[in-house]
């Protein structure tokens, strides 16, 4: 059975994201902040790390589908709040805790700051978010 949990572009969990929002900088010297949501529209479900359910953290990592072109995963900072982006380590993964409950009200905000690789105006769509192997259960 496919997981109902995924990354969404809106807090109501309507639009699944295939990649991090495109970077299109008018002034590429400034970082671009984006918020995405991790959750499931089904409030009868929860998700846990498959490795040790209920103990190990759900971990979000940045994946670069085209290393060497566009932005690099090492240029992305992840945090649970926009304020924490300034102290987040570029390229590091983000722990969400041992479980996430379903339903839009329980969706986890994930903030991503993409520090520009270049000062040229660009658009980049090869960066994706990925979790460790997960197990979904009824609440």
């Amino acid at each position: 059975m496919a997981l109902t949990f995924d990354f969404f572009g809106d807090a109501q969990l309507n639009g699944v994201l295939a990649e991090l929002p495109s970077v299109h900088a008018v002034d590429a010297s400034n970082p671009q902040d984006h918020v995405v949501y991790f959750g499931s529209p089904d409030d009868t479900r929860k998700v846990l790390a498959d490795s040790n359910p209920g103990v190990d953290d759900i971990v979000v990592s940045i994946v670069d589908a085209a290393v060497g072109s566009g932005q690099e995963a090492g240029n992305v900072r992840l945090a649970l709040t926009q304020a924490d982006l300034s102290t987040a380590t570029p390229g590091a993964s983000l722990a969400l805790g041992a479980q996430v409950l379903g339903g839009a009200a329980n969706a986890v905000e994930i903030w991503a700051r993409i520090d520009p690789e270049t000062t040229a105006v660009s658009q980049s769509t090869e960066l994706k978010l990925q979790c460790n192997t997960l197990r979904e259960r009824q609440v």
Side-chain angles (χ1 to χ4, degrees):
M1 179 177 162
L3 294 178
T4 64
F5 282 79
D6 212 328
F7 298 99
F8 294 84
D10 64 292
Q12 293 75 38
L13 308 180
N14 291 317
V16 173
L17 288 179
E19 69 267 335
L20 275 175
S22 298
V23 177
H24 184 82
V26 174
D27 176 0
S29 63
N30 294 321
Q32 303 294 307
D33 290 357
H34 304 281
V35 63
V36 298
Y37 301 86
F38 177 75
S40 168
D42 185 345
D43 62 3
T44 69
R45 309 295 291 170
K46 68 180 176 180
V47 72
L48 311 113
D50 190 51
S51 56
N52 194 358
V55 177
D56 289 351
D57 281 335
I58 296 166
V59 179
V60 177
S61 302
I62 308 141
V63 177
D64 188 345
V67 176
S69 68
Q71 297 293 336
E72 299 299 320
N75 295 338
V76 181
R77 299 169 186 258
L78 298 177
L80 295 174
T81 67
Q82 188 174 24
D84 289 340
L85 285 171
S86 60
T87 58
T89 303
S93 57
L94 177 67
L96 303 184
Q99 74 175 6
V100 175
L101 298 174
N106 297 311
V108 178
E109 277 190 0
I110 299 172
W111 283 87
R113 174 171 291 160
I114 303 173
D115 293 317
E117 173 103 355
T118 175
T119 57
V121 174
S122 65
Q123 190 167 15
S124 179
T125 60
E126 81 277 3
L127 296 176
K128 301 177 183 346
L129 295 177
Q130 174 180 296
C131 287
N132 50 334
T133 305
L134 302 176
R135 178 182 300 194
E136 190 170 317
R137 294 185 177 160
Q138 286 290 123
V139 174

